Amino acid sequence: ATFLASACAKGGEWAKAFDLFCEMVASHVQLTTITYSATISACEKGGEWARALALLGEMATSHVELDTIVHNAAISACEKGEQWV
């Protein structure tokens, strides 16, 4: 499923990647750093900076490891959305 989210992100299909992420949550699939990273990257590519930040916050509260790749994707989403503050 992470592979599909990543493929959607690369194909510019952020909404499909986000929907897949939501389906994984609803199905109680264990989410990993890679799953979040792929979904945050998809949101970043789609200009969905608020969703990207929400996912980053969810990672922290869910105790999923936040790595450099995830932080960079969230920062890039804010940059693309011109959210500097």
Side-chain angles (χ1 to χ4, degrees), residues 47-55:
E48 294 291 319
W49 64 270
R51 288 183 198 258
L53 289 183
L55 289 168

Side-chain angles (χ1 to χ4, degrees), residues 10-34:
K10 290 178 183 170
E13 299 287 338
W14 76 267
K16 286 183 183 177
F18 189 77
D19 288 345
L20 179 59
F21 178 86
C22 292
E23 287 178 27
M24 291 172 69
V25 170
S27 298
H28 305 288
V29 172
Q30 183 174 356
L31 302 173
T32 66
T33 303
I34 295 169

Side-chain angles (χ1 to χ4, degrees), residues 52-71:
L53 289 183
L55 289 168
L56 188 69
E58 185 178 310
M59 282 183 77
T61 59
S62 298
H63 305 291
V64 176
E65 181 182 356
L66 293 125
D67 65 7
T68 304
I69 295 168
V70 170
H71 281 106

